[in-house]
Amino acid sequence: MSFKFNFGVGDNGEIINGAAIAEGSSTAALPCENLQCSESAAPCEHVPISIPGVSSAVFDAIYYCSQRLWKRQIDDVQFQLAQQDDMTDDAEDSAIKQAMAEGSSAADVIKGVYEGGLKTWECSMDLLTYLVEHGDELHMSLSGARVLEIGCGTGLPSLHILKSIASASVCMQDYNRDVLELVTIPNVLANTAFSPEDGVMGDSVHAEGDTESCEIDFDFRRTQVLFGADTDRIIGERETPELTSEEACEADSRLLERLEIKDRCEFVAGDWARIEQEMRAQGRDHSFSLILSSETIYDVDSYAKLHDLLSCALAKPDSQPGSGYVPMALVAAKSIYFGLSGSVLSFQQYVERRGVFDISSIWQSGGSMSREILRLTWSGSC
């Protein structure tokens, strides 16, 4: 199944609105009540944090509540994919490479193949703003806490938590490993350890009108960690200044050793049912005080897997005795997904039928294309 939401946040940070338009389906949907994971579902993979395999990367500023985050440009991702393309018809090509080769855009969703993680969707901005506006109450409650973002994509809500709550740790999940490697992890680095605001030589920041972008020079960091004060002399004596692949690998290894942020981040790819199975097998159920998710209820066929992952991952109310904090999941969504099966109302009704969580709408945008944020807590916990 392939469709476009036709709304989101453009590369310059501008929010784009529109209705979802179905483009046809050739993939059988998983029945809503079927809790088994299909054989074709993406396996659960733990993705290690890594330095992007490019010499530099370009990021756009996303502004919210007088604050700023850096998000990698989609054009820059597509350029990297083109550079890495060996022009062969490789059956092992990534899902994103295949989708882009077939003319899909970052705003397309191909069910079971690519879930739109390259794009920053509008409701993630709503969730980001909500976290800022309720920062005082959340910051104290989430000190030292573990946060899970389901369907993170570009991961803006998680980035805000990493920047604003120094003792919190975040697990960022997306269906596609490629999304985590191409966008999510670079975004984490750009907003923390490799922030252009640190004024590292080689980085550049460009402002044009009310938009801002930056280019982070990873090769400069690689040469510095390898050669230190002798960088200019060593590079100047070479016929070509580029690092060899062996040098680049060694530099990335050293950079990662120094990367303090890696102890606060975890990245997981795969289908929700497979991730739930893995969590239970490892005894990691009920370990997240806050769960975040945006634009993940557009299809009723996904409700069972999402609900069961929430019930597996969310901490129990007595997990933080004396804190007064009630573990919760915040799900941001369009009230109605035109042309698709999901909606806020249908998701609320599904959750209520299951009887595991209390669910309420705690924020509404109003307007013709209304959006909401839903709060889920354990039934009877509030």
Side-chain angles (χ1 to χ4, degrees):
M1 179 179 182
S2 175
F3 55 85
K4 292 184 180 181
F5 280 130
N6 277 358
F7 54 80
V9 178
D11 280 339
N12 62 358
E14 178 185 2
I15 294 177
I16 303 167
N17 295 289
I21 303 174
E23 294 183 344
S25 173
S26 59
T27 305
L30 188 70
C32 187
E33 300 299 335
N34 184 355
L35 304 187
Q36 300 301 313
C37 185
S38 69
E39 290 298 323
S40 61
C44 175
E45 297 182 87
H46 293 268
V47 182
I49 193 168
S50 59
I51 311 300
V54 292
S55 59
S56 64
V58 182
F59 299 80
D60 286 326
I62 295 291
Y63 302 101
Y64 64 103
C65 302
S66 74
Q67 300 187 49
R68 177 180 64 185
L69 290 173
W70 296 105
K71 177 186 74 71
R72 192 175 183 191
Q73 280 187 3
I74 293 174
D75 288 348
D76 195 54
V77 173
Q78 293 173 324
F79 178 76
Q80 178 179 343
L81 291 174
Q83 291 290 98
Q84 295 172 345
D85 189 357
D86 58 8
M87 305 303 291
T88 62
D89 186 12
D90 188 354
E92 298 300 318
D93 264 355
S94 69
I96 288 181
K97 274 191 177 182
Q98 293 180 37
M100 296 300 176
E102 293 169 3
S104 300
S105 75
D108 288 336
V109 173
I110 306 171
K111 189 172 181 179
V113 177
Y114 166 63
E115 293 291 335
L118 294 178
K119 195 75 176 177
T120 299
W121 300 105
E122 188 177 20
C123 290
S124 68
M125 297 296 296
D126 294 335
L127 193 52
L128 178 61
T129 302
Y130 182 87
L131 292 174
V132 175
E133 292 176 347
H134 294 78
D136 291 343
E137 57 194 86
L138 285 174
H139 285 196
M140 292 187 62
S141 303
L142 295 178
S143 177
R146 302 185 68 225
V147 179
L148 169 65
E149 185 173 359
I150 296 174
C152 65
T154 56
L156 298 186
S158 290
L159 296 176
H160 170 71
I161 288 175
L162 285 173
K163 290 187 70 172
S164 61
I165 308 176
S167 60
S169 62
V170 174
C171 177
M172 305 172 77
Q173 180 275 333
D174 195 88
Y175 187 85
N176 297 104
R177 180 188 182 107
D178 296 326
V179 166
L180 297 175
E181 292 178 331
L182 291 167
V183 174
T184 315
I185 292 173
N187 285 353
V188 168
L189 296 175
N191 286 279
T192 55
F194 292 172
S195 172
E197 295 157 1
D198 293 339
V200 173
M201 186 181 300
D203 293 346
S204 57
V205 179
H206 309 279
E208 183 175 343
D210 57 355
T211 64
E212 198 171 6
S213 65
C214 73
E215 183 171 5
I216 295 179
D217 191 335
F218 293 111
D219 270 357
F220 179 84
R221 288 167 168 82
R222 291 183 176 107
T223 57
Q224 288 295 304
V225 77
L226 285 177
F227 309 127
D230 292 328
T231 295
D232 290 342
R233 179 184 61 80
I234 293 173
I235 295 298
E237 292 174 353
R238 294 183 169 194
E239 292 185 9
T240 58
E242 290 81 8
L243 297 176
T244 66
S245 58
E246 291 79 9
E247 287 174 331
C249 287
E250 174 62 22
D252 286 351
S253 177
R254 294 189 192 180
L255 288 169
L256 289 172
E257 287 177 4
R258 302 179 180 184
L259 205 60
E260 295 181 3
I261 192 67
K262 69 177 184 295
D263 297 326
R264 298 176 54 210
C265 297
E266 183 181 7
F267 305 94
V268 180
D271 178 84
W272 292 335
R274 292 191 182 275
I275 292 171
E276 182 208 345
Q277 292 168 1
E278 184 76 7
M279 276 189 180
R280 294 192 185 280
Q282 294 183 355
R284 298 184 62 191
D285 44 332
H286 308 310
S287 56
F288 295 97
S289 300
L290 175 65
I291 300 178
L292 307 170
S293 194
S294 305
E295 309 283 15
T296 50
I297 64 168
Y298 58 82
D299 183 359
V300 297
D301 292 332
S302 68
Y303 286 0
K305 289 194 286 187
L306 177 58
H307 180 281
D308 290 349
L309 179 55
L310 292 173
S311 63
C312 169
L314 188 63
K316 292 292 187 176
D318 59 354
S319 62
Q320 293 176 296
S323 69
Y325 175 74
V326 177
M328 68 182 71
L330 300 178
V331 178
K334 284 284 188 294
S335 299
I336 298 174
Y337 287 93
F338 294 104
L340 301 172
S341 57
S343 68
V344 164
L345 178 59
S346 65
F347 183 68
Q348 285 180 304
Q349 291 173 338
Y350 178 82
V351 171
E352 289 167 355
R353 286 201 307 272
R354 295 290 297 269
V356 176
F357 296 112
D358 293 327
I359 183 169
S360 60
S361 178
I362 58 173
W363 179 87
Q364 300 86 31
S365 68
S368 57
M369 288 289 293
S370 62
R371 309 179 307 278
E372 303 184 46
I373 296 177
L374 303 172
R375 180 176 64 189
L376 286 77
T377 56
W378 292 105
S379 183
S381 64
C382 291

